[in-house]
């Protein structure tokens, strides 16, 4: 609370004129879930960097797997059987293999903890409801809600696009207005998992077994919203692909619509209101 009289009068005038915007301050539980989510992001980055180092080590010694897929069960069995011609490269190779397995094990532990800690969370009902959408597993839903907070805090889902960095960049000169790629100026972990989930809409609209199991836990109203979004996004992918647009651009466009579907679902989920709000000019 500000005790300066002149500033207090100015704040009161701004409040009366409606020039102050309420800003939500994350609670301790929300910060804890966000820390777990970002630790998971760090583990993913460490594993990716370790895989690149291991691939470079294999290329230096001209050792190539005969399998088609990398990092699958067959590829992992082949890595266990690799023997370098001399002891020194073998030591380096085994160290690089350990740098891949350690982040993988850490990632599995964090996934388990993220799911357990999220069950007692204030926004846990929203996380459960979002999993009715295709491509939105528990880690995707928890990461999005942990990074963005309560989706119903905005009046329009378009306001979430700037938080995600999905708004198109603009190059204007005089009367000429040109839009480019997305700005990527928002929350990168949330944007990454959202685009990762949007890739699931490349295939035709259907309900698979694991998705059917998640649908049994949500009411019929949310199932109707989910199916309408499901059909729309699958059709949208086919339409944009038929125009010759790159697959990555198409998926980014789907991600923009997917966050709007999530916002619509969150409107039907009652959650405990947040206790900490701050007014800013």
């Amino acid at each position: 609370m500000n005790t300066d009289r002149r500033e207090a009068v100015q704040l009161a005038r701004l409040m009366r004129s409606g020039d102050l915007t309420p800003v939500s301050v994350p609670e301790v539980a929300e910060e804890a879930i966000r820390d777990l989510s970002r630790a998971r992001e760090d583990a993913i980055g460490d594993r990716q960097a370790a895989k690149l180092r291991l691939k470079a080590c294999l290329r230096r010694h001209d050792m190539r797997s005969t399998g088609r897929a990398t990092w699958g069960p067959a590829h992992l069995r082949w890595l266990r059987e690799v023997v370098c011609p001399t002891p020194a490269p073998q030591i380096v190779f085994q160290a690089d293999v350990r740098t891949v397995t350690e982040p993988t094990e850490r990632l599995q532990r964090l996934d388990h903890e993220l799911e357990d800690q999220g069950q007692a969370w204030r926004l846990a009902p929203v996380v459960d409801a979002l999993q009715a959408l295709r491509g939105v597993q528990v880690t995707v839903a928890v990461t999005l809600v942990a990074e963005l907070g309560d989706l119903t805090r905005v009046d329009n889902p378009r306001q979430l696009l700037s938080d995600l960095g999905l708004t198109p960049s603009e190059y204007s000169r005089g009367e000429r207005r040109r839009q480019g790629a997305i700005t990527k100026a928002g929350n990168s972990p949330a944007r990454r998992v959202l685009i990762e989930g949007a890739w699931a809409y490349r295939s035709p609209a259907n309900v698979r077994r694991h998705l059917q199991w998640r649908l049994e836990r949500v009411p019929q109203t949310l199932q109707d919203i989910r199916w309408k979004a499901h059909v729309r996004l699958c059709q949208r992918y086919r339409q944009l692909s038929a125009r010759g647009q790159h697959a990555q651009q198409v998926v980014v466009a789907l991600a923009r619509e997917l966050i709007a579907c999530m916002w619509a679902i969150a409107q039907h989920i009652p959650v405990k209101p947040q206790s900490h709000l701050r007014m800013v000019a």
Side-chain angles (χ1 to χ4, degrees):
M1 178 65 68
N2 198 318
T3 57
D4 187 272
R5 182 178 179 84
R6 287 177 298 180
E7 292 188 6
V9 171
Q10 183 180 4
L11 289 175
R13 289 174 178 173
L14 291 174
M15 174 70 77
R16 184 175 59 183
S17 62
D19 293 333
L20 293 181
T21 303
V23 177
S24 61
V25 180
E27 298 178 352
V28 176
E30 295 183 9
E31 287 286 355
I33 296 294
R34 187 177 300 175
D35 288 341
L36 276 176
S37 173
R38 294 184 177 179
R40 181 179 179 273
E41 289 290 320
D42 294 338
I44 292 175
D46 294 342
R47 184 179 63 175
Q48 184 64 25
K51 287 181 178 181
L52 293 176
R53 288 195 299 268
L54 181 57
K55 287 182 178 180
C57 178
L58 293 173
R59 285 195 298 267
R60 284 198 306 270
H61 299 284
D62 196 20
M63 293 184 293
R64 304 179 186 276
S65 174
T66 57
R68 296 182 178 180
T70 57
W71 310 115
H75 183 71
L76 295 178
R77 287 195 299 268
W78 176 79
L79 287 176
R80 289 193 292 266
E81 298 172 357
V82 169
V83 178
C84 297
T86 56
Q90 185 69 24
I91 295 174
V92 175
F93 172 76
Q94 293 296 336
D96 289 339
V97 171
R98 285 194 298 272
T99 58
V100 174
T101 57
E102 289 174 0
T104 303
E105 295 173 356
R106 186 167 79 249
L107 181 61
Q108 293 175 353
R109 292 194 300 269
L110 289 172
D111 285 342
H112 181 70
E113 290 295 335
L114 195 64
E115 185 175 356
D116 289 344
Q117 296 295 328
Q119 293 178 357
W121 188 20
R122 177 179 68 92
L123 298 175
V126 180
V127 172
D128 294 337
L130 293 182
Q131 294 181 56
L133 294 166
R134 180 199 273 188
V136 184
Q137 294 81 13
V138 58
T139 53
V140 176
V142 171
T143 302
L144 273 169
V145 178
E147 295 293 341
L148 299 180
D150 189 1
L151 300 181
T152 60
R153 60 184 172 81
V154 297
D155 298 330
N156 193 296
R158 292 181 181 272
Q159 300 177 18
L160 295 173
L161 298 180
S162 59
D163 295 341
L164 292 166
L166 290 176
T167 53
S169 56
E170 184 175 336
Y171 305 89
S172 301
R173 193 172 189 179
E175 297 181 355
R176 183 178 180 182
R177 180 172 177 266
R178 178 188 173 196
Q179 289 184 330
I182 58 175
T183 60
K184 297 184 180 180
N187 193 300
S188 57
R191 182 175 63 252
R192 187 192 67 79
V193 297
L194 181 65
I195 293 178
E196 179 182 323
W199 279 102
Y201 292 93
R202 293 178 295 173
S203 56
N206 55 21
V207 179
R208 297 184 179 181
R209 182 178 301 176
H210 66 279
L211 185 57
Q212 183 64 39
W213 178 79
R214 297 205 302 260
L215 289 176
E216 294 176 356
R217 299 183 295 176
V218 298
Q220 186 63 37
T221 304
L222 300 184
Q223 293 187 29
D224 296 339
I225 297 175
R226 179 212 64 87
W227 179 249
K228 182 179 179 180
H230 196 161
V231 174
R232 173 180 171 79
L233 292 175
C234 290
Q235 291 178 351
R236 185 67 172 164
Y237 182 86
R238 291 195 299 270
Q239 291 173 356
L240 295 178
S241 299
R243 297 178 186 177
Q245 293 190 6
H246 193 272
Q248 183 67 42
Q249 296 177 336
V250 175
V251 172
V252 171
L254 295 184
R256 291 167 56 90
E257 297 194 18
L258 181 59
I259 190 63
C261 300
M262 294 180 176
W263 178 85
I265 289 178
Q267 299 294 320
H268 295 78
I269 305 300
V271 296
K272 182 181 177 181
Q274 191 171 1
S275 58
H276 296 84
L277 288 176
R278 182 178 297 171
M279 307 299 291
V280 297

